[in-house]
């Protein structure tokens, strides 16, 4: 998401046929991730207010694109919809890999669960937020993609690194700058949300003994899980070494689909093992069954189409095993290692506190 934001910010400064240097995108993405990590550490209320403002900018940008696209179609420009599926792929493996980009676009539904503890009346508001947002997002995204396809040919869509910028340049003349600005703001907000919610997953996992205990610490002044936020920031900066956004999406989606399938499979197991246990949020048994089958399809079928990406996803997961055994399972650590962890944590907290005090001054 940081790389997407960087691409939309930088694209207006380069000619349409000019490629943005990868290093520029990576550096701007790194700065953005560090900035948003600091904001999330500094004040959660400021982050929440920022999300509310950005949400309206995001919806406004998409509505503008939809209105322009529908107007273009009403003027009789429907030629891009003729022979839409000619020479397209029907291989199930390639279709499943293509789904990963769609999963990435709609990924907000599962991140919402990570904030359950901080929601008011979560058993009422969490399902309500999901049931309202998913249909709304689906309708807006489908209409936006319809508008893109009405204006841009499939070849233009494939060639563009920032489709909304290409769309604006072709249709909006002097006002073309509005689209990349609003999309950049939207990406900025989406990245902030992911940073905020993902840190809660690490924080709760550490609190329950599934991750190193250091990640369960909270800043007592700001009530934010600072160690978890910093930890995720470092991981994100390491992942920025890979410059291809779609490769990153495939790596992460394979791993994410696997663990979400296991989590939902656990729901089925508990439903069978403990049928009398209280369930605050109730859904039809068919929902988790269908979900697990779809996840299995998305995991198994791509193995022969994108074996390298699948292998890398497995390797990324396996690299966590030694950290798990050192940080969680290994209880009797030597004194020097405990001192190193404590000292490193203390230094990070001091640096953060000094930066916070400078900002307040």
């Amino acid at each position: 998401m940081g790389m997407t934001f960087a691409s939309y910010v930088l694209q207006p400064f380069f000619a349409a046929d000019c490629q943005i240097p990868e290093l520029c995108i990576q550096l701007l993405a790194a700065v953005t991730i560090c900035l948003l990590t600091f904001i999330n550490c500094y004040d959660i209320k400021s982050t929440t207010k920022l999300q509310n403002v950005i949400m309206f900018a995001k919806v406004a940008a998409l509505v503008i694109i939809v209105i322009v696209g529908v107007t273009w179609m009403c003027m009789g420009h429907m030629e891009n919809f003729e022979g839409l599926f000619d020479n397209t792929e029907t291989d199930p493996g390639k279709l499943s890999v293509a789904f990963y980009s769609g999963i990435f676009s709609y990924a907000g539904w599962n991140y919402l669960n990570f904030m359950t503890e901080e929601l008011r009346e979560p058993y009422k508001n969490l399902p309500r937020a999901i049931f309202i947002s998913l249909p709304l997002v689906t309708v807006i995204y489908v209409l936006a993609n319809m508008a893109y396809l009405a204006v841009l040919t499939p070849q233009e869509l494939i060639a563009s690194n920032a489709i909304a910028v290409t769309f604006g340049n072709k249709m909006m003349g002097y006002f073309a700058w509005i689209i990349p600005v609003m999309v950049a703001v939207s990406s900025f907000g989406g990245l902030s949300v992911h940073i905020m919610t993902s840190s809660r997953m690490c924080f709760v996992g550490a609190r329950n003994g599934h991750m190193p205990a250091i990640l369960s610490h909270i800043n007592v002044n700001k009530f934010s899980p600072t160690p978890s936020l910093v930890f995720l920031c470092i991981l994100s900066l390491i992942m920025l070494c890979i410059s291809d956004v779609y490769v990153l999406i495939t790596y992460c989606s394979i791993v994410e689909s696997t663990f979400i399938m296991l989590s939902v499979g656990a729901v089925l197991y508990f439903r069978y093992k403990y049928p009398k246990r209280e369930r605050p949020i109730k859904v039809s048994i068919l929902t988790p069954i269908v979900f697990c089958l779809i996840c299995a399809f998305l995991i198994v079928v791509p193995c022969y189409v994108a074996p390298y990406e699948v292998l890398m996803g497995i390797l990324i997961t396996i690299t966590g095993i030694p950290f798990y055994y050192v940080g969680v399972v290994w209880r009797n650590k030597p004194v020097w290692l405990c001192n190193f962890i404590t000292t490193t944590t203390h230094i990070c907290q001091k640096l953060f506190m000094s930066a916070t005090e400078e900002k307040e001054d």
Side-chain angles (χ1 to χ4, degrees), residues 94-110:
K94 293 182 179 179
L95 287 174
S96 60
V97 172
F99 263 100
Y100 285 145
S101 294
I103 291 171
F104 175 74
S105 298
Y106 287 86
W109 66 270
N110 54 340

Side-chain angles (χ1 to χ4, degrees), residues 74-216:
C74 290
M75 294 169 62
H77 298 282
M78 301 292 291
E79 58 274 7
N80 289 346
F81 292 98
E82 297 174 3
L84 208 62
F85 294 97
D86 293 346
N87 302 317
T88 55
E89 295 285 352
T90 56
D91 187 290
K94 293 182 179 179
L95 287 174
S96 60
V97 172
F99 263 100
Y100 285 145
S101 294
I103 291 171
F104 175 74
S105 298
Y106 287 86
W109 66 270
N110 54 340
Y111 284 90
L112 196 61
N113 302 307
F114 301 159
M115 299 296 293
T116 303
E117 284 189 350
E118 297 173 51
L119 286 176
R120 296 175 183 172
E121 299 184 65
Y123 296 132
K124 181 190 297 183
N125 290 326
L126 179 63
R128 183 183 296 170
I130 294 175
F131 291 144
I132 293 173
S133 62
L134 267 180
L136 183 64
V137 169
T138 302
V139 170
I140 293 176
Y141 276 18
V142 169
L143 289 174
N145 279 284
M146 183 181 70
Y148 285 142
L149 195 57
V151 173
L152 304 173
T153 64
Q155 292 73 25
E156 289 175 319
L157 289 170
I158 294 171
S160 176
N161 292 321
I163 294 172
V165 174
T166 307
F167 178 92
N169 290 337
K170 188 169 183 178
M171 295 298 299
M172 300 183 65
Y174 292 111
F175 298 98
W177 59 270
I178 295 175
I179 296 298
V181 168
M182 297 184 80
V183 172
V185 170
S186 170
S187 302
F188 187 83
L191 178 58
S192 180
V193 168
H194 276 263
I195 289 172
M196 178 174 66
T197 53
S198 299
S199 65
R200 271 57 178 180
M201 179 183 64
C202 293
F203 164 71
V204 174
R207 192 177 62 190
N208 292 333
H210 303 147
M211 299 186 76
I214 189 174
L215 300 181
S216 65

